[in-house]
Amino acid sequence: MTKQNKLIIAFFCIIKLTLHLIADYHSGFQGDELLHIETGKHLAFGYMEFPPLIGVLSFIQNIFNSNSLYIHHLFSHISCVLIVIYVAKITIELGGKNKALFLTLLCIIIAPAFGRTQQLFQPVVFGQLFWILGFYQLVRYTKYRDQKYLTYLTFFALIGFLFKYDILFFILGLSSLFFFKRTRETILKHNIVLHIAIALLIVSPNIYWQYANNFPVLQMFNRLYETQLDKISRIDNLKNLILAANPISLILIFPALFYMFKSNKAELYKPLAFSITLSFLLLIFSNGKSYYFFPIILTILPFGAIFWEQKVIQNHKWVMFPVTFLLFLGSIIISFGMPVYTFNHYLNSIYKYEKKDIIGGKYGVKYDEYYTQEKWKITMSELKKVFDSLPKNDKQNCKIWGKHYAQAGAVNLFGKEYNLPKAFSYHGSYYSWTPSGEMPNTVIALSYQVGDFFNPYFEKVTLLKSIYNPYADNEEELYQRIYICKNPKQNFEKMKDLFKHRIFE
């Protein structure tokens, strides 16, 4: 890596990190993040919706005992910078020089796909990171055929699996290495059985946890297909993918699809190209969400940049200027992927392009982190008023039941400032952390619009407050309801039994 290479990479790392810090300043926590933060208080070999390593990172962040967005995005921001660095290293290993490096990294910056997914504290950004780290080792193994790169590849793929299960598509794509004599022979010489045994040993605690808990991740995927994935067509998925990658980036992506297979470096490129293609086809077949494809875009971009550098710009240096100009124009849609503007500016200037009409709502804002700072402040204040209104005896053992895990997570993250009791929930991974023993005589329940959901479990349920959210993008979340629930009909153990098949409702 030359000094110029390092300067280009450093420049884009600074730009990338700056954009994310600006987005932090303008936003609050996304709902799922509140669940992931809670995992750090309940370390385990698995969770209902995702693998265990997000809990380890959350545990480290929780040491700061802070509800700051910057603290809880610490590892996300480190990961997004590492993604830039390792995509750059892939570009160099594939034969790219300064211009290819510049074009590749510019495409990452302008793609809305790599804004939000690399901004939030979710397994998604860590899945992308370890997919890229694995692909980097795959490039080096294909290029040098050294056993240590196969070992590194195995290690990064497995760590990725313990962050997000969709890296299985990358692992299955590696079977393409057996299509080519050169890579097949070297793999068989390098004791592949030992690598498989090590892999099984590393993932076995998580597999056992899933088995012991009746494979809740499969229940979650079934629910996901019922409510979301079966309603998304593959054509719509591809359209969304193009928009997320930034349509202007197609000037790199389309040539890459050709150049991966027809390059004069076929011995190096073809095994990689087949691996990418196989992963892509498996994802298409499974009809995964568009963001499942984002790591594949990251692996394709270097090929397109190298095509422009070696086949066009090398002979026509002036072409670099219009290509760069076009890509810079694409930066205008960065704001569709992350809150780089204030919320008011977003509503006045950006929202009209993704407007969604909700009956009873004023706006239909696509991403809740745009407005959750204010949302959770209002919610905590209203919960405090209800809690403070309780008689002294009722306050002593009172708990808050958050119907949605984000509501329970918000109470447990912000509630200390308002002297609120701890929250529990039977939604998602919170199901594993519910209390035991007798339920308190008084429970404060917080939910979205769910009708008479709490009535079967208490003798008396009283609706006290309704909190309106004009920015909700679905009718259910237009209102949060606060109830006082008195005289439970069962204990916590019975409640857990009643909800064991309703975890993902």
Side-chain angles (χ1 to χ4, degrees):
M1 191 180 291
T2 67
K3 185 177 180 180
Q4 286 182 318
N5 292 158
K6 292 177 182 178
L7 287 173
I8 292 170
I9 295 169
F11 171 76
F12 280 103
C13 285
I14 291 169
I15 295 296
K16 178 74 168 164
L17 184 57
T18 300
L19 287 170
H20 285 288
L21 293 175
I22 291 170
D24 280 350
Y25 183 75
H26 290 149
S27 63
F29 288 100
Q30 189 267 349
D32 289 350
E33 290 185 287
L34 298 168
L35 170 64
H36 302 140
I37 290 167
E38 189 72 12
T39 61
K41 303 172 187 175
H42 307 276
L43 293 179
F45 286 120
Y47 300 103
M48 295 289 176
E49 307 92 335
F50 38 78
L53 288 187
I54 188 87
V56 176
L57 299 187
S58 178
F59 174 82
I60 297 169
Q61 291 174 167
N62 287 343
I63 290 172
F64 293 94
N65 194 28
S66 170
N67 60 20
S68 164
L69 198 69
Y70 296 103
I71 292 296
H72 289 289
H73 282 178
L74 179 64
F75 284 106
S76 300
H77 293 340
I78 291 171
S79 295
C80 77
V81 170
L82 288 174
I83 287 170
V84 170
I85 292 170
Y86 276 90
V87 171
K89 289 169 77 72
I90 289 168
T91 306
I92 293 168
E93 286 288 352
L94 292 173
K97 301 190 184 305
N98 289 337
K99 293 179 177 63
L101 202 56
F102 183 88
L103 294 175
T104 300
L105 300 186
L106 181 55
C107 281
I108 293 176
I109 296 295
I110 68 171
F114 309 124
R116 188 174 193 249
T117 62
Q118 295 177 9
Q119 167 79 10
L120 305 177
F121 182 58
Q122 294 185 343
V124 176
V125 63
F126 308 113
Q128 289 183 21
L129 172 62
F130 282 92
W131 190 308
I132 292 304
L133 290 172
F135 190 77
Y136 173 64
Q137 300 303 331
L138 175 61
V139 171
R140 301 191 87 187
Y141 182 72
T142 306
K143 188 174 181 179
Y144 303 113
R145 289 180 290 174
D146 188 324
Q147 180 176 355
K148 68 181 179 182
Y149 299 126
L150 181 62
T151 303
Y152 297 155
L153 169 59
T154 304
F155 174 76
F156 287 127
L158 292 172
I159 297 300
F161 176 85
L162 293 175
F163 270 113
K164 189 154 175 60
Y165 292 124
D166 64 8
I167 205 171
L168 275 172
F169 293 102
F170 169 69
I171 294 170
L172 292 171
L174 296 176
S175 61
S176 65
L177 293 175
F178 290 96
F179 300 169
F180 302 92
K181 183 178 179 181
R182 177 174 174 269
T183 50
R184 181 173 63 249
E185 288 180 347
T186 53
I187 287 175
L188 294 175
K189 286 178 183 177
H190 291 159
N191 202 347
I192 188 64
V193 175
L194 177 62
H195 286 85
I196 293 173
I198 292 171
L200 292 174
L201 184 64
I202 290 173
V203 302
S204 60
N206 178 242
I207 300 301
Y208 178 77
W209 186 94
Q210 287 287 336
Y211 167 76
N213 289 274
N214 298 315
F215 290 96
V217 71
L218 297 181
Q219 298 176 42
M220 188 267 292
F221 281 127
N222 285 336
R223 179 72 175 170
L224 199 60
Y225 274 100
E226 286 175 10
T227 59
Q228 296 181 38
L229 298 183
D230 283 344
K231 298 176 183 178
I232 302 173
S233 75
R234 289 172 175 81
I235 298 298
D236 286 341
N237 240 342
L238 291 175
K239 288 178 182 176
N240 292 335
L241 182 60
I242 290 170
L243 290 172
N246 196 321
I248 294 177
S249 294
L250 292 176
I251 63 175
L252 262 69
I253 293 171
F254 280 156
L257 300 177
F258 166 81
Y259 195 59
M260 285 191 300
F261 294 96
K262 295 296 183 180
S263 166
N264 54 8
K265 292 187 177 181
E267 192 175 63
L268 170 60
Y269 282 12
K270 275 193 176 179
L272 305 174
F274 274 87
S275 174
I276 293 170
T277 303
L278 186 55
S279 296
F280 179 83
L281 292 175
L282 289 168
L283 276 166
I284 284 286
F285 176 76
S286 66
N287 201 26
K289 292 183 178 181
S290 58
Y291 72 80
Y292 294 0
F293 295 83
F294 292 175
I296 293 179
I297 297 296
L298 288 168
T299 61
I300 288 174
L301 288 174
F303 293 96
I306 291 169
F307 166 83
W308 278 102
E309 181 180 64
Q310 294 182 355
K311 298 300 182 182
V312 183
I313 297 171
Q314 185 172 314
N315 300 318
H316 307 283
K317 291 185 172 25
W318 62 269
V319 173
M320 182 68 179
F321 297 101
V323 171
T324 301
F325 178 72
L326 280 173
L327 291 175
F328 268 116
L329 283 180
S331 64
I332 63 174
I333 68 170
I334 290 175
S335 57
F336 288 87
M338 58 199 305
V340 291
Y341 297 130
T342 64
F343 187 43
N344 284 336
H345 183 83
Y346 165 80
L347 290 177
N348 294 328
S349 303
I350 309 300
Y351 174 72
K352 59 186 176 183
Y353 297 107
E354 50 186 16
K355 185 176 181 181
K356 184 177 181 181
D357 292 323
I358 305 296
I359 298 173
K362 187 174 180 182
Y363 303 93
V365 177
K366 191 174 182 181
Y367 302 133
D368 67 342
E369 62 268 24
Y370 278 100
Y371 58 81
T372 50
Q373 275 187 331
E374 189 64 22
K375 171 185 174 179
W376 294 124
K377 283 180 184 177
I378 294 170
T379 304
M380 296 304 116
S381 296
E382 295 300 321
L383 282 170
K384 179 175 173 56
K385 290 176 185 176
V386 172
F387 180 67
D388 288 346
S389 70
L390 294 176
K392 186 176 180 180
N393 290 342
D394 287 348
K395 285 183 180 179
Q396 289 179 351
N397 297 313
C398 180
K399 292 186 182 298
I400 296 175
W401 180 354
K403 168 65 175 66
H404 194 283
Y405 56 61
Q407 294 169 316
V411 172
N412 288 338
L413 184 62
F414 302 116
K416 188 176 180 181
E417 293 180 12
Y418 297 82
N419 295 315
L420 291 172
K422 288 291 185 181
F424 67 93
S425 180
Y426 293 93
H427 185 210
S429 287
Y430 260 92
Y431 176 85
S432 302
W433 312 325
T434 50
S436 57
E438 295 299 318
M439 295 186 74
N441 187 58
T442 300
V443 171
I444 299 173
L446 175 64
S447 73
Y448 294 109
Q449 299 186 76
V450 289
D452 298 329
F453 177 84
F454 299 104
N455 290 43
Y457 313 108
F458 300 90
E459 297 290 346
K460 184 179 180 182
V461 177
T462 306
L463 173 64
L464 286 193
K465 290 184 179 290
S466 292
I467 307 168
Y468 178 58
N469 175 16
Y471 309 114
D473 74 339
N474 61 78
E475 291 182 40
E476 181 182 320
E477 295 185 20
L478 282 174
Y479 289 91
Q480 288 191 97
R481 313 290 196 188
I482 300 177
Y483 302 84
I484 291 289
C485 305
K486 293 272 193 176
N487 303 324
K489 298 177 182 179
Q490 64 288 300
N491 60 21
F492 279 117
E493 281 75 15
K494 179 62 176 177
M495 285 291 294
K496 197 164 186 177
D497 185 59
L498 291 171
F499 277 87
K500 65 182 178 181
H501 298 301
R502 302 177 61 185
I503 298 168
F504 300 109
E505 284 186 9

